Amino acid sequence: MREDKSLSERLGAKAVELGFAACGVARADAAPRTAGRLRQWLGEGMHGDMIWMEARAHHRESPAALWPEVRSVIALGMSYAPAADSLALAGEGEKGRISVYAQGADYHDVVKRALKALARWLIAETQDADVKVFVDTAPVMEKPLAEAAGLGWQGKHTNLVSRDHGSWLFLGAIYTTLDLVPDEAARDTCGSCDACQTACPTDAFPTPYRLDARRCISYLTIEHAGPIPLEFRAAMGNRIYGCDDCLAVCPWNKFAAAAQANKAFAPRAELAAPALADLLALDDAGFREVFAGSPIKRIGRDRMVRNCLIAAGNSGAAGLVEPIVGLLGDEAAVVRGAAVWALGRLDGGRFESERSTRLAGETDEVVRDEWALESPSPSGEGL
């Protein structure tokens, strides 16, 4: 059924009413390059440990592969533009840096609630629509679809860039059997700018528009479960959950007004500039309490403490030595190993002393390898 232009206009107005900053429509077959680019990226192993991307690649290749009945895709963006400089904590070693998007309410809950409300409105308006809503947890290629729907374009950092909202958009999608009037696809306006690539602390962009997730701090702190590879630890600085560097430097962010951001994503005080000493003291119960209602809760206590230990090792703060020593006997091997490295960075003498008493009793081979390293120094020798 072909719907008229007025429905699209009312749809956009309703989306704004529900808290979305951007709304557009694309045909279900409007992103034909997605399949080939995805297969190449997966074939080169750039997804790292994110096995689910490979396992359901056939569903990601096109909307119809996931739901054959889909005719149109409604792409939606919800702004989380920060009111403050997202790089402000870069030089504060005893504070942890949490990505802007994770400092407030869990976007999965906020965006999905609004998507469901919009889907219910659409069904009521048209009477004969079938719909499915998606936000980040299904095999949906939101960024190419959002580009096809005119919300923005995939920049050289591979994230969506909007003329109006910069790089600060959460994306969601509604698949529908309705044949809606499509919007004009967005045009790439990155030009010769390479600010995002230059800003990346771990050189995660082998070429423009291609991300090697295995080198990305967001991947390493969130998706990667094992020890952080040695070559990236110093570059992580005090980033403990995600990384905003490539987004924050995008020139298009000058048009992203914080006033347009959904208030649900306003930063919680305890997550805006958390003290590493406090986070290092968390047990499982404490972790769940601090990060209740936050997307951070999904990584679990052990991975977060691992990240905080790497940040502590980079801090140069002698006051963190004792909290680190307290974690050398942690039940989780990934925590013990990170604690070994962090101690060596901050206090070589204490590292040698603790090694002499702990190495013989260590049963985990990876942790034993950490003890076997020469005590690393903050300047990077031994990394």
Side-chain angles (χ1 to χ4, degrees):
M1 176 182 178
R2 169 66 68 178
E3 295 292 339
D4 60 27
K5 185 69 174 178
S6 65
L7 176 60
S8 296
E9 293 171 349
R10 287 182 286 128
L11 176 70
K14 186 65 178 180
V16 170
E17 178 186 322
L18 291 169
F20 291 104
C23 176
V25 174
R27 289 175 48 86
D29 59 357
R33 295 182 300 163
T34 300
R37 292 169 62 181
L38 175 63
R39 282 195 293 267
Q40 180 180 0
W41 187 73
L42 291 171
E44 294 174 1
M46 291 190 180
H47 58 305
D49 296 334
M50 296 183 287
I51 305 303
W52 65 89
M53 297 198 72
E54 185 175 356
R56 300 197 66 181
H58 60 295
H59 285 145
R60 295 180 187 277
E61 290 182 349
S62 74
L66 181 61
W67 188 32
E69 290 80 13
V70 63
R71 299 294 299 277
S72 303
V73 175
I74 304 167
L76 295 131
M78 194 172 279
S79 174
Y80 65 100
D85 179 7
S86 61
L87 304 179
L89 294 177
E92 298 191 33
E94 294 184 60
K95 303 287 187 180
R97 290 169 63 188
I98 292 174
S99 185
V100 169
Y101 84 86
Q103 293 179 22
D106 191 335
Y107 69 96
H108 296 91
D109 300 331
V110 177
V111 177
K112 179 162 280 190
R113 187 160 52 245
L115 285 173
K116 287 182 175 180
L118 187 58
R120 287 193 296 269
W121 175 89
L122 184 63
I123 291 170
E125 288 289 307
T126 60
Q127 301 298 319
D128 61 351
D130 284 336
V131 300
K132 293 185 184 294
V133 303
F134 304 102
V135 53
D136 197 32
T137 55
V140 173
M141 299 292 278
E142 292 97 340
K143 291 181 286 186
L145 291 170
E147 180 175 324
L151 269 61
W153 67 94
Q154 277 192 265
K156 293 178 182 178
H157 52 22
T158 75
N159 291 288
L160 197 79
V161 183
S162 162
R163 284 180 173 269
D164 299 317
H165 309 288
S167 298
W168 311 113
L169 283 178
F170 290 125
L171 300 178
I174 299 176
Y175 285 10
T176 178
T177 53
L178 292 171
D179 195 6
L180 298 173
V181 177
D183 289 288
E184 184 177 348
R187 183 173 62 88
D188 186 332
T189 318
C190 284
S192 61
C193 178
D194 63 354
C196 57
Q197 296 170 275
T198 302
C200 181
T202 51
D203 295 322
F205 301 105
T207 60
Y209 306 102
R210 291 179 64 77
L211 170 70
D212 187 343
R214 298 166 296 185
R215 303 185 63 87
C216 175
I217 290 175
S218 285
Y219 166 83
L220 292 168
T221 55
I222 300 171
E223 305 294 349
H224 180 64
I228 302 294
L230 277 170
E231 64 178 304
F232 303 126
R233 294 178 187 179
M236 282 175 57
N238 61 339
R239 302 170 186 84
I240 59 173
Y241 188 92
C243 177
D244 291 324
D245 290 28
C246 67
L247 302 179
V249 299
C250 179
W252 287 99
N253 284 335
K254 64 179 177 286
F255 300 110
Q260 297 171 307
N262 191 300
K263 290 180 174 57
F265 305 127
R268 289 162 46 182
E270 67 273 25
L271 301 186
L276 291 177
D278 294 339
L279 297 179
L280 291 174
L282 292 177
D283 57 13
D284 283 330
F287 172 84
R288 290 193 296 270
E289 180 179 355
V290 170
F291 296 107
S294 163
I296 297 172
K297 66 183 181 296
R298 67 183 285 259
I299 70 170
R301 176 263 180 188
D302 294 347
R303 208 175 298 185
M304 172 54 81
V305 174
R306 173 204 64 183
N307 297 343
C308 292
L309 284 164
I310 300 301
N314 290 326
S315 70
L320 293 177
V321 168
E322 290 306 321
I324 291 169
V325 170
L327 292 166
L328 291 173
D330 195 85
E331 290 184 4
V334 73
V335 171
R336 295 199 305 276
V340 171
W341 182 84
L343 178 60
R345 293 273 289 187
L346 293 185
D347 190 332
R350 188 68 179 274
F351 175 90
E352 296 297 339
S353 173
E354 294 292 339
R355 175 164 61 181
S356 68
T357 60
R358 294 179 183 268
L359 179 56
E362 177 57 61
T363 58
D364 186 271
E365 193 62 35
V366 175
V367 181
R368 290 181 63 85
D369 288 343
E370 296 282 357
W371 280 120
L373 294 172
E374 291 187 18
S375 174
S377 70
S379 61
E381 290 90 347
L383 293 184

